[in-house]
Amino acid sequence: IICPAGRRWHFCWAVKELLQSFGELKAFNLVKDSATGLSKGYAFCEYLNVGITDQAISGLNGMQLGDKKLVVQRAALGAKNPSAALVSMMPPPSQPAAPPPQVQLPGLEVPSASGPATEVLCLMNMVTPDELQDPSEYEEIYEDVREECGRYGMVKSMEIPRPVEGVEVYGLGKIFVEYHNPVDTSKAMHALAGRKFASRVVVASYFNPAKYRSKDFSN
């Protein structure tokens, strides 16, 4: 999938980065078509610490990336590679993908995206407090995100909480985007979750509209 253009958006499936968030990889092999050189949509990986394999499978299997879901399972490669995992963008034959679990990345608490869509989307792991300090950089980030989110529906409003010295700011590091209807929010959710912004993997969740409108950005 090609991520639409933008100053901070990149081409990505971010699969390798997601795998590496659980531990150091011993090997990663993206399978490509020998004739075209294009990816066939699946890869094999192996961790240095074999005990991490099941954690990664549990955390990533069923994760939504764009309009597809990750399928992560142990690979049938024989006794030589008992710890290898197969990562693909579609279920192998006769093996439907498991229901998408709550995304769990080490060191990152993410609310579940399950349940009905709302008019408000919460985007996480995109910005840091330091990046929001400088007014010009803040404006650039704001415009980049609003432009990208506008590809999936009309953006009604958007909030990016900024740091205030000596004050605990709720929602710091998150971006809240309000659409006119849940249909557009859902389209944005499926398109943006798992993408990359400024080299970070985007995590997305629906947010309570009443809390958003009262500017209550607490969890």
Side-chain angles (χ1 to χ4, degrees):
I1 282 186
I2 298 177
C3 302
R7 288 187 290 276
R8 292 166 179 260
W9 297 89
H10 309 280
F11 297 98
C12 68
W13 276 123
V15 171
K16 188 173 182 180
E17 183 172 339
L18 286 169
L19 292 166
Q20 289 174 325
S21 69
F22 287 86
E24 187 175 354
L25 291 174
K26 179 181 179 181
F28 179 83
N29 180 24
L30 178 65
V31 180
K32 297 181 180 181
D33 186 287
S34 58
T36 65
L38 299 176
S39 167
K40 287 189 174 183
Y42 62 94
F44 295 93
C45 76
E46 186 175 2
Y47 286 97
L48 282 175
N49 180 352
V50 297
I52 292 175
T53 305
D54 287 333
Q55 297 176 29
I57 291 173
S58 176
L60 297 178
N61 187 45
M63 178 181 176
Q64 191 82 34
L65 284 183
D67 61 350
K68 295 189 170 101
K69 293 176 185 176
L70 270 182
V71 177
V72 187
Q73 58 190 210
R74 283 190 174 272
L77 298 179
K80 289 185 178 180
N81 298 89
S83 62
L86 168 65
V87 185
S88 63
M89 295 308 301
M90 59 187 68
S94 304
Q95 294 186 25
Q102 177 176 340
V103 179
Q104 295 288 343
L105 297 182
L108 182 64
E109 296 182 6
V110 181
S112 174
S114 62
T118 70
E119 295 92 338
V120 182
L121 186 65
C122 176
L123 301 170
M124 295 161 280
N125 200 38
M126 291 177 63
V127 295
T128 66
D130 287 344
E131 292 171 339
L132 302 175
Q133 294 276 10
D134 182 77
S136 61
E137 187 167 8
Y138 173 85
E139 289 300 325
E140 181 182 335
I141 291 171
Y142 188 97
E143 292 303 322
D144 277 357
V145 175
R146 189 175 184 112
E147 179 182 353
E148 182 62 27
C149 289
R151 297 176 185 272
Y152 311 104
M154 184 176 292
V155 175
K156 185 176 182 180
S157 66
M158 195 173 85
E159 295 283 348
I160 307 179
R162 299 182 69 181
V164 178
E165 188 175 355
V167 177
E168 181 181 4
V169 179
Y170 291 113
L172 189 60
K174 299 178 182 179
I175 298 174
F176 301 88
V177 184
E178 182 185 21
Y179 287 91
H180 285 270
N181 59 73
V183 174
D184 291 341
T185 313
S186 180
K187 288 192 294 185
M189 159 78 78
H190 291 298
L192 300 179
R195 289 265 302 278
K196 292 182 75 176
F197 183 84
S199 301
R200 303 183 191 96
V201 179
V202 177
V203 181
S205 175
Y206 299 122
F207 193 75
N208 185 309
K211 292 184 65 175
Y212 171 80
R213 288 161 192 154
S214 63
K215 297 190 182 297
D216 178 4
F217 302 130
S218 59
N219 291 330

